[in-house]
């Protein structure tokens, strides 16, 4: 915990950082990144040259209090897992601002897609106390936000219904990518399906494997590649053992992931809700689009309505294996060219566009 360090005048407060965040940080408005912990796919080589400060909740508050922070990006108010850390950080910059007679501008990027108070969360008396505390902290953090950019319509609607204290200047910029520049543009191989993500229930890897035999029966030429690692890895290995039409790639480097995304025609992420989590956007969805893949996902992602309206496939998370297989087959049969997928994307990455707006020079 490097509390002796100081940050620059512009700071991003992250709960976790992963390689994808580091890659994007090089394109975002320059800022110090104060974060709590690293995700499993954190690549130190990609982090080189970035102003990264690892610190726990108290350490982050100390760093911010010691620094002359003019602009602070916080985790969005409905991100309950980091709520106390965010509130402590805001208290630190507020007190420091009084001493410096300067108010820190607070901005946030919102893609939350889940009501943090929906059942069955936190039952009993202690649960009720925790919910009241969380609600008070959400309201307090929201009041302090000066600018908010919504990455999905689902998030905008959620905030409108849950956070009446939010009076920030707001805009909506879809969390859509531009074409990835990792390599030459190409159509994915015919009949190729790709899963990229953690091997765990909420990402639906076993749901896809349950549907795959029916896909293979209807389209014997089809091939599936599974990329990732996680607690269900042993189950995945058992299910694909002996199948020549399924390839398992465990925890490859990022360059290999990008290569596989270029080479496949359909990307699948069958997200399903847990008691404490719901998919916000889904990095594999965004990266699949950026590489020109047709996408099959569930109604859990905040981009579901956009995907359904632009020729992709969206299913209910509780769809049967046969229903999932039918959508995979449909996308394979359509054989949509990557150029067609990319033509629907914006000229500038939505997250970068939102960042430019959040850190713009217009008065608050």
């Amino acid at each position: 915990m490097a509390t002796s360090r100081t940050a620059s005048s512009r700071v991003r407060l992250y709960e976790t950082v992963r390689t994808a965040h580091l890659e994007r940080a090089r394109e975002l408005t320059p800022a110090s990144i104060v974060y709590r912990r690293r995700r499993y796919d954190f690549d130190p080589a990609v982090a080189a040259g970035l102003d990264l400060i690892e610190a726990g909740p108290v350490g982050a508050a100390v760093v911010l209090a010691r620094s002359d922070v003019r602009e602070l990006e916080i985790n969005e108010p409905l991100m309950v897992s980091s709520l106390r850390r965010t509130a402590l950080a805001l208290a630190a910059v507020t007190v420091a601002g009084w001493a410096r007679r300067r108010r820190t501008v607070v901005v946030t990027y919102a893609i939350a897609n889940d009501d943090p108070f929906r059942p069955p969360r936190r039952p009993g008396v202690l649960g009720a106390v925790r919910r009241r505390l969380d609600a008070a902290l959400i309201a307090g953090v929201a009041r302090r936000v000066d600018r908010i950019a919504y990455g999905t319509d689902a998030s905008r609607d959620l905030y409108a219904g849950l956070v009446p204290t939010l009076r920030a200047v707001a805009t909506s910029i879809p969390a859509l990518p531009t074409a990835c520049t990792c390599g030459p543009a190409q159509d994915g191989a015919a009949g190729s399906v790709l899963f990229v993500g953690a091997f765990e229930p909420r990402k639906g890897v076993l749901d896809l494997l349950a549907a795959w035999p029916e896909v293979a029966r209807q389209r014997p030429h089809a091939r599936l590649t599974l990329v990732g690692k996680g607690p269900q890895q042993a189950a995945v290995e058992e299910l694909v053992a002996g199948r020549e039409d399924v390839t398992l790639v465990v925890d490859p480097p990022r360059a290999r992931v990008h290569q596989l995304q270029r080479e496949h025609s359909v990307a699948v992420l069958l997200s399903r809700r847990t008691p404490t989590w719901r998919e916000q956007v889904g990095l594999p969805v965004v990266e699949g689009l950026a590489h020109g893949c047709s996408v099959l996902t569930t109604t859990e992602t905040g981009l579901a309505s956009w995907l359904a309206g632009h020729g992709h496939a969206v299913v209910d998370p509780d769809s049967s294996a046969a229903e999932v297989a039918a959508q995979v087959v449909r996308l394979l049969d359509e054989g949509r060219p990557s150029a067609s997928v990319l033509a629907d994307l914006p000229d500038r990455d939505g997250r970068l566009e939102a960042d430019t707006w959040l850190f713009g020079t217009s008065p608050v």
Side-chain angles (χ1 to χ4, degrees), residues 203-322:
K203 297 298 183 177
V205 63
L206 297 189
D207 296 323
L208 176 56
L209 281 172
W212 187 251
E214 179 59 18
V215 175
R217 186 189 71 80
Q218 295 187 39
R219 300 295 180 268
H221 70 285
R223 295 293 181 268
L224 171 63
T225 302
L226 304 172
V227 180
K229 68 176 184 179
Q232 291 185 317
Q233 184 174 323
V236 169
E237 291 173 345
E238 182 178 353
L239 287 169
V240 305
R243 293 201 69 107
E244 296 183 357
D245 57 347
V246 182
T247 300
L248 177 61
V249 183
V250 176
D251 196 23
R254 286 286 293 168
R256 177 60 174 154
V257 175
H258 280 262
Q259 179 186 1
L260 290 167
Q261 288 167 328
R262 292 197 306 271
E263 294 173 350
H264 287 71
S265 62
V266 174
V268 180
L269 184 71
L270 298 175
S271 306
R272 57 172 58 247
R273 203 177 305 196
T274 75
T276 59
W277 176 89
R278 187 182 185 189
E279 191 75 76
Q280 295 176 333
V281 174
L283 182 61
V285 170
V286 172
E287 291 190 341
L289 292 172
H291 290 85
C293 297
S294 295
V295 170
L296 167 60
T297 188
T298 68
T299 52
E300 294 302 284
T301 172
L303 288 178
S305 60
W306 186 93
L307 291 165
H310 289 81
H312 301 275
V314 178
V315 297
D316 186 277
D318 293 322
S319 294
S320 67

Side-chain angles (χ1 to χ4, degrees), residues 1-359:
M1 184 165 61
T3 56
S4 62
R5 286 195 56 187
T6 58
S8 66
S9 63
R10 183 179 291 121
V11 175
R12 302 181 193 280
L13 185 67
Y14 286 4
E15 181 70 8
T16 63
V17 289
R18 60 191 305 178
T19 299
H21 296 150
L22 302 174
E23 292 171 339
R24 179 158 282 169
R26 299 187 180 281
E27 302 178 86
L28 296 173
T29 305
S32 299
I33 297 176
V34 180
Y35 68 97
R36 182 173 185 174
R37 61 183 177 86
R38 302 175 179 186
R39 292 279 290 274
Y40 77 92
D41 60 349
F42 182 98
D43 185 345
V46 180
L50 295 174
D51 185 15
L52 302 176
I53 302 174
E54 184 175 5
V58 174
V62 171
V63 168
L64 293 172
R66 288 167 52 90
S67 307
D68 186 11
V69 182
R70 310 292 182 88
E71 296 172 300
L72 174 65
E73 179 187 342
I74 62 169
N75 291 310
E76 58 182 304
L78 286 179
M79 187 173 174
V80 175
S81 62
S82 63
L83 192 55
R84 286 150 185 78
R85 183 172 189 255
T86 299
L88 187 59
L90 288 176
V93 296
T94 298
V95 172
W98 292 340
R100 295 187 176 96
R101 297 184 180 181
R102 182 186 299 113
R103 185 180 185 278
T104 300
V105 174
V106 177
V107 304
T108 192
Y109 179 69
I111 52 174
N113 191 30
D114 194 15
D115 181 349
F117 305 117
R118 65 175 167 87
R121 296 191 177 192
R122 306 188 183 104
V125 175
L126 291 179
V129 172
R130 179 69 177 270
R131 286 194 300 273
R132 286 179 178 272
L133 177 59
D134 285 347
L137 285 175
I138 288 170
V141 168
R143 276 193 296 269
R144 186 61 180 82
V145 174
D146 297 303
R147 295 190 185 102
I148 182 168
Y150 297 110
T152 66
D153 291 343
S155 184
R156 180 198 61 207
D157 295 344
L158 184 67
Y159 274 89
L162 290 181
V163 193
T165 58
L166 185 61
R167 294 291 183 266
V169 178
T171 192
S172 293
I173 302 173
L176 295 170
T178 55
C180 188
T181 59
C182 64
Q186 63 186 69
D187 287 333
S192 58
V193 179
L194 178 68
F195 171 94
V196 176
F199 296 155
E200 57 184 49
R202 65 179 182 169
K203 297 298 183 177
V205 63
L206 297 189
D207 296 323
L208 176 56
L209 281 172
W212 187 251
E214 179 59 18
V215 175
R217 186 189 71 80
Q218 295 187 39
R219 300 295 180 268
H221 70 285
R223 295 293 181 268
L224 171 63
T225 302
L226 304 172
V227 180
K229 68 176 184 179
Q232 291 185 317
Q233 184 174 323
V236 169
E237 291 173 345
E238 182 178 353
L239 287 169
V240 305
R243 293 201 69 107
E244 296 183 357
D245 57 347
V246 182
T247 300
L248 177 61
V249 183
V250 176
D251 196 23
R254 286 286 293 168
R256 177 60 174 154
V257 175
H258 280 262
Q259 179 186 1
L260 290 167
Q261 288 167 328
R262 292 197 306 271
E263 294 173 350
H264 287 71
S265 62
V266 174
V268 180
L269 184 71
L270 298 175
S271 306
R272 57 172 58 247
R273 203 177 305 196
T274 75
T276 59
W277 176 89
R278 187 182 185 189
E279 191 75 76
Q280 295 176 333
V281 174
L283 182 61
V285 170
V286 172
E287 291 190 341
L289 292 172
H291 290 85
C293 297
S294 295
V295 170
L296 167 60
T297 188
T298 68
T299 52
E300 294 302 284
T301 172
L303 288 178
S305 60
W306 186 93
L307 291 165
H310 289 81
H312 301 275
V314 178
V315 297
D316 186 277
D318 293 322
S319 294
S320 67
E323 291 170 325
V324 171
Q327 292 303 318
V328 174
V329 169
R330 177 176 75 80
L331 293 178
L332 291 177
D333 288 351
E334 287 177 356
R336 187 176 178 186
S338 63
S340 172
V341 174
L342 297 175
D344 286 338
L345 302 181
D347 294 332
R348 189 167 187 238
D349 180 277
R351 183 63 182 91
L352 299 183
E353 190 69 26
D355 191 75
T356 297
W357 184 84
L358 287 171
F359 290 105

